[in-house]
Amino acid sequence: MDSSRVLALKVLLEWEERKPSLDLLFQKAVRKEGLTDLKRAFARELVFGTVRWMKRIDWSIERFLQKGIDALSPTVRNALRLGAYQLLFLDRVPHWAAVSESVELVKEKEGKKAGGLVNAILRNIAREKELLIPDSPEPLERLSLKWSFPLWLVKKLRKRFEEETEALLKALNESPPFTIRANILKTSREDLMKILSPFRPEPTRWSPVGIILYKTQGILESEAFKKGLFQVQDEGAQLVSLILSPQKGERILDVCAAPGGKTTHMAELMGNEGQIVALEVNPWRIKWMKENLVRLGVNIVEINRYNATKPISFKGFDRVLVDVPCSGFGVLRRNPDLKWRMTEKEIYRLTEIQKRILRNSLETLKDGGLLLYSTCTLTFEENEEVVKEIAGQKGVSLVNLREYAFLPGTFFNAEGFFLSLPHKHGTDGFFGALLRKS
């Protein structure tokens, strides 16, 4: 059996049982197996693609089942999903290979009868794939099936994005570009692009320090990475630090800082002069952050393990970045499992955490200081509603980013909030609101 598919099934079974972070689960599984780069890439495609399109895949499989897909054993269910994903979404995989390999995965664990069921269903899907187009008289249910999103989330996004909703759902299902940020403490974007020419670099459209790489194999083993000439970071995340615009010699607070992409970017914008106090509660994320600081040559960051939902003892900052924990719907291109792990109830739990962190962070500002509230999600509840409630307090005012930032107007709504979007800007989805302490 193909080792990529064996690993993919193993990961899907564990993910379905426990619903951990899919990315962390996959990385852990890959380290144990020692696959070649090519097989690792194929296994990742299978795992993330299957989870991304799971609702539509399950709908397709159920066309040929008497009972629902949940009546099947976990092994049969997930082997069918893997096979159906290959048949429906991967043109480069021969149909016979998708079917036969899925059958072998099941036969080894559950016997010939289960293998026969998988064989019959996948052959039907292969034969009728052009007809397997989800439809419904209810428009939002149709979008939910077509683009494989929970119906409650489609309703929430529709309320916000109206006629743009389908374009957004489509973009959130696409594979993101591999984007890096040139470390301007050590190089320039132009020089870095020359160094990385074998990786087919192109400059990003919006960030002046971003580069998209169209060939990525071996990039994290390259000398340029080891020497700290760049950091992997989405273009939308780069724009967040640029909006806050920290200056040389200032004192900055970075709340919920790890893994440190925005922290190190701010240090680079400051020319490594001044002070950044970084707060993070998770110890292994702090370890990861420290490694990045050393590699990038940043030495103005002081890391403190700290739970920012509690009052913050550090005071007197010129600027504060508050990049709060959130539902993460803006980064579904990278984390498709969030569609199925996150619930509407969890969003409301997160908003209470976000409000506490934002209130505590405002207390650390100097008079006249600026605070940027940031998320990587798209819900009103976690973005505008949090900010407006807090900004209504005495001594805190909102800054209209349309008048403040360097970006074109498509990045800002009528109220002056920042919002980067996959279907509009080609970036992950980020929200930003700037507040000033009077």
Side-chain angles (χ1 to χ4, degrees):
M1 287 183 292
D2 172 45
S3 55
S4 299
R5 292 178 171 93
V6 172
L7 177 66
L9 179 59
K10 179 181 176 182
V11 171
L12 286 179
L13 286 168
E14 188 173 347
W15 178 78
E16 184 182 59
E17 181 182 359
R18 299 192 297 110
K19 291 293 192 297
S21 162
L22 187 64
D23 186 56
L24 293 178
L25 178 61
F26 181 80
Q27 295 300 334
K28 181 180 177 181
V30 163
R31 283 195 296 270
K32 289 182 179 179
E33 297 298 327
L35 300 181
T36 64
D37 288 344
L38 195 61
K39 286 189 175 293
R40 186 187 306 123
F42 184 47
R44 185 177 180 87
E45 173 66 38
L46 291 177
V47 168
F48 281 74
T50 299
V51 171
R52 180 176 288 117
W53 291 101
M54 187 172 291
K55 185 168 185 174
R56 182 163 172 176
I57 288 169
D58 286 359
W59 178 89
S60 299
I61 293 169
E62 287 181 335
R63 300 312 94 197
F64 307 102
L65 284 174
Q66 290 183 336
K67 297 181 179 180
I69 195 169
D70 290 338
L72 301 172
S73 73
T75 297
V76 172
R77 181 167 56 246
N78 285 288
L80 276 171
R81 285 168 172 165
L82 280 171
Y85 174 66
Q86 294 167 72
L87 293 171
L88 295 171
F89 296 99
L90 296 184
D91 292 337
R92 67 182 184 272
V93 176
H95 286 183
W96 65 263
V99 174
S100 63
E101 290 286 345
S102 300
V103 169
E104 291 303 314
L105 286 173
V106 170
K107 279 171 61 178
E108 183 185 55
K109 289 178 175 288
E110 304 214 2
K112 288 184 178 180
K113 185 177 180 181
L117 174 67
V118 169
N119 180 66
I121 292 173
L122 292 182
R123 284 183 179 277
N124 281 328
I125 289 174
R127 185 169 54 250
E128 300 187 24
K129 63 178 290 188
E130 302 302 328
L131 303 175
L132 293 173
I133 302 172
D135 199 9
S136 170
E138 168 53 49
L140 297 187
E141 177 64 23
R142 180 188 64 80
L143 288 178
S144 171
L145 287 169
K146 181 179 179 181
W147 298 110
S148 190
F149 277 77
L151 181 58
W152 72 266
L153 181 54
V154 173
K155 290 178 178 178
K156 190 170 288 291
L157 293 176
R158 172 73 180 190
K159 186 177 179 181
R160 172 161 201 161
F161 294 100
E162 300 178 343
E163 298 306 316
E164 294 180 52
T165 303
E166 185 160 14
L168 173 61
L169 297 176
K170 180 177 183 292
L172 287 171
N173 275 342
E174 293 170 353
S175 296
F178 190 92
T179 309
I180 64 174
R181 183 191 78 237
N183 180 0
I184 55 176
L185 298 177
K186 296 186 175 186
T187 187
S188 65
R189 177 162 73 173
E190 293 70 25
D191 288 344
L192 182 58
M193 287 179 65
K194 292 175 184 175
I195 294 169
L196 298 180
S197 58
F199 298 95
R200 294 173 52 205
E202 284 189 9
T204 51
R205 183 177 181 184
W206 313 110
S207 168
V209 290
I211 300 171
I212 296 173
L213 301 180
Y214 289 94
K215 182 181 176 184
T216 60
Q217 187 173 332
I219 186 63
L220 298 183
E221 291 75 42
S222 67
E223 284 301 308
F225 179 77
K226 293 174 184 176
K227 291 178 179 178
L229 300 188
F230 67 87
Q231 174 71 17
V232 179
Q233 188 182 38
D234 180 74
E235 186 178 12
Q238 296 177 33
L239 298 179
V240 170
S241 303
L242 290 164
I243 288 171
L244 184 57
S245 187
Q247 303 296 306
K248 285 185 177 182
E250 286 187 331
R251 192 161 179 261
I252 311 294
L253 178 66
D254 188 359
V255 182
C256 311
K262 298 181 185 72
T263 318
T264 53
H265 190 191
M266 290 192 294
E268 292 163 18
L269 294 171
M270 296 164 69
N272 217 17
E273 296 179 23
Q275 183 191 29
I276 298 176
V277 176
L279 308 183
E280 173 58 43
V281 71
N282 191 308
W284 72 261
R285 287 169 68 88
I286 289 175
K287 180 177 181 295
W288 185 8
M289 188 175 179
K290 287 178 177 178
E291 291 170 357
N292 279 328
L293 291 171
V294 172
R295 184 177 57 82
L296 295 167
V298 170
N299 56 27
I300 63 168
V301 177
E302 171 195 315
I303 304 176
N304 293 271
R305 187 177 178 191
Y306 210 97
N307 184 348
T309 62
K310 299 176 180 178
I312 300 172
S313 57
F314 304 94
K315 307 291 180 184
F317 293 97
D318 299 289
R319 299 174 204 249
V320 176
L321 175 62
V322 186
D323 192 24
V324 293
C326 67
S327 57
F329 293 134
V331 292
L332 285 176
R333 301 189 301 176
R334 304 173 195 281
N335 303 289
D337 54 309
L338 285 173
K339 288 192 286 190
W340 316 118
R341 288 199 290 128
M342 191 60 58
T343 64
E344 193 164 15
K345 183 178 179 181
E346 178 69 5
I347 288 174
Y348 292 103
R349 188 188 73 83
L350 284 167
T351 60
E352 294 307 309
I353 293 172
Q354 292 155 359
K355 290 172 188 176
R356 288 204 300 271
I357 292 174
L358 180 52
R359 287 191 186 98
N360 291 338
S361 300
L362 280 166
E363 294 298 318
T364 70
L365 272 176
K366 288 180 178 177
D367 288 343
L370 293 167
L371 180 149
L372 185 65
Y373 174 85
S374 170
T375 75
C376 59
T377 198
L378 307 171
T379 67
F380 276 123
E381 292 89 344
E382 298 173 85
N383 293 336
E384 287 92 339
E385 289 182 12
V386 168
V387 171
K388 287 178 180 178
E389 180 176 325
I390 305 302
Q393 296 176 1
K394 184 178 179 182
V396 179
S397 59
L398 279 168
V399 178
N400 189 328
L401 284 170
R402 281 182 174 274
E403 304 166 3
Y404 185 86
F406 59 94
L407 292 164
T410 59
F411 279 97
F412 308 102
N413 64 15
E415 297 173 289
F417 296 120
F418 167 79
L419 192 63
S420 65
L421 294 166
H423 67 293
K424 277 188 174 182
H425 310 113
T427 68
D428 285 339
F430 285 90
F431 172 85
L434 195 65
L435 297 91
R436 186 186 301 276
K437 188 174 183 180
S438 60

